[in-house]
Amino acid sequence: MPYTKEIYEKAQEIIDERRKAAENKNAGIIRLFETIEPEYTALKQEMITSVKEVVKAIDMSPEKAAEFIQQQKIKNLTAQQNIRLLLQKHSLPEDYLEIKYSCPVCEDTGFSENKLCTCHIQLLKELAFEEAGKKSPLKFCLFEDFRFDYYPDEKISGVSARDRMRDIYSFCKEYADTFDTSNSSVFMTGKTGLGKTHLSLAIAGDVIRKGYTVLYNSAQNIFTMLQKERFGKSDTNGAYEAMVLECDLLVIDDLGAEFVTQFTNAALYNIINTRINLGLPTIISSNLTLQEIENEYSTRISSRIIGEYSILCFEGKDIRQLKSENDD
Ligand SMILES: [Zn+2]
């Protein structure tokens, strides 16, 4: 996935800080150990000297050299053994005096075998999504804050709007609780103010807390960002499109509020289709019905949604209006 220069720099900075922190902590541990076991300083020196001495073997005859190297080896191993005994005396683990890097693979350098280490890749991803989240005007909601009493309780053909909402709520809660990338995609349809955004953002928040990469924004903003990127008007270098297509969960809010153009039409199909092919879930909320999606966009888009998405129909009166009436 491509990233901006800023994201790369920030990641390197964090990795450098991790390494310094690990080394400083280790230096502190060693200083403390030296004060309780002064013998350690001499043993450590012996280890270092035995390694340095080996170079002298170059000027010796082959037999002498072998004997000399063997002596140094014994010195080194003895010093190591004595250090182990000192640690045992204090019931300390064998690796107590070693640096504990947060990533043992690259020892907090960010690189392993001349390639970006997996810890580095993970960090770049997290930073990019954090940055994208900051740019989104949408704020997370909580499942706990969802109120059912705004939904009418009177039953129409056996089911009330409130009962329906309870079903939808349970679906969404379960979706978030058991989330993994094999989850289904979801299309939330219904008029404005029925809680679609609340529930989709509650899912997004929970899924992020589980450590997945989530991108959420309004359809309008997503298309604007993609368009800027496509036509070279942003410095994101394809990074945004990669996030949209490859994140673990994509939440597109309020599809249909944007101005539909050839670009948005093609971009939407590409997003839906690519993510289905990659086996990654998407949540779309829209005031439009599937029929209206077909009319506004295209049959191939509505067909992909009908075929692959779980469809949640939100019904009732605008709860935002009910809330403000209540507040009056
Ligand atoms: Zn690493």
Side-chain angles (χ1 to χ4, degrees), residues 46-215:
E46 231 169 282
M47 274 174 64
I48 297 167
T49 319
S50 64
V51 173
K52 276 191 191 159
E53 288 284 287
V54 169
V55 77
K56 289 184 182 162
I58 294 173
D59 301 326
M60 298 175 187
S61 66
E63 297 100 67
K64 267 210 158 175
E67 198 193 326
F68 182 74
I69 290 171
Q70 186 59 20
Q71 280 169 3
Q72 299 311 314
K73 199 172 168 184
I74 291 168
K75 268 191 198 167
N76 188 288
L77 291 172
T78 313
Q80 280 188 48
Q81 177 59 15
N82 287 333
I83 292 172
R84 268 198 293 276
L85 290 174
L86 285 183
L87 290 168
Q88 275 170 20
K89 189 172 128 191
H90 297 282
S91 309
L92 293 166
E94 238 177 70
D95 65 352
Y96 181 69
L97 299 166
E98 285 163 26
I99 304 178
K100 309 287 183 307
Y101 292 106
S102 64
C103 176
V105 177
C106 67
E107 302 194 326
D108 296 345
T109 58
F111 295 89
S112 151
E113 292 167 4
N114 281 325
K115 275 194 283 198
L116 287 186
C117 180
T118 45
C119 74
H120 200 158
I121 294 169
Q122 182 60 27
L123 182 61
L124 286 166
K125 231 185 194 183
E126 282 167 18
L127 290 172
F129 281 93
E130 200 184 290
E131 199 54 38
K134 274 187 218 153
K135 281 182 189 153
S136 169
L138 306 171
K139 290 286 153 272
F140 290 126
C141 301
L142 295 172
F143 279 108
E144 293 82 89
D145 297 336
F146 197 82
R147 300 246 331 245
F148 290 99
D149 45 357
Y150 289 117
Y151 298 87
D153 206 14
E154 68 263 27
K155 292 184 171 34
I156 301 155
S157 50
V159 196
S160 69
R162 197 175 297 175
D163 292 337
R164 268 182 210 281
M165 268 326 295
R166 281 193 205 285
D167 286 346
I168 289 177
Y169 178 92
S170 305
F171 176 94
C172 293
K173 185 85 176 67
E174 163 118 16
Y175 188 94
D177 287 347
T178 60
F179 183 86
D180 68 50
T181 52
S182 67
N183 268 28
S184 67
S185 289
V186 181
F187 182 69
M188 299 180 175
T189 170
K191 295 205 172 59
T192 307
L194 291 175
K196 299 188 298 294
T197 299
H198 188 128
L199 290 180
S200 58
L201 288 179
I203 294 174
D206 279 5
V207 172
I208 286 177
R209 279 186 284 276
K210 281 174 188 263
Y212 289 99
T213 53
V214 179
L215 190 81

Side-chain angles (χ1 to χ4, degrees), residues 184-246:
S184 67
S185 289
V186 181
F187 182 69
M188 299 180 175
T189 170
K191 295 205 172 59
T192 307
L194 291 175
K196 299 188 298 294
T197 299
H198 188 128
L199 290 180
S200 58
L201 288 179
I203 294 174
D206 279 5
V207 172
I208 286 177
R209 279 186 284 276
K210 281 174 188 263
Y212 289 99
T213 53
V214 179
L215 190 81
Y216 56 95
N217 212 328
S218 66
Q220 172 130 34
N221 286 339
I222 291 174
F223 292 135
T224 305
M225 294 279 287
L226 289 176
Q227 202 154 7
K228 275 190 189 163
E229 201 169 72
R230 177 71 55 86
F231 299 107
K233 285 181 184 145
S234 76
D235 59 354
T236 47
N237 211 4
Y240 193 75
E241 185 176 27
M243 279 197 277
V244 168
L245 297 178
E246 296 167 27

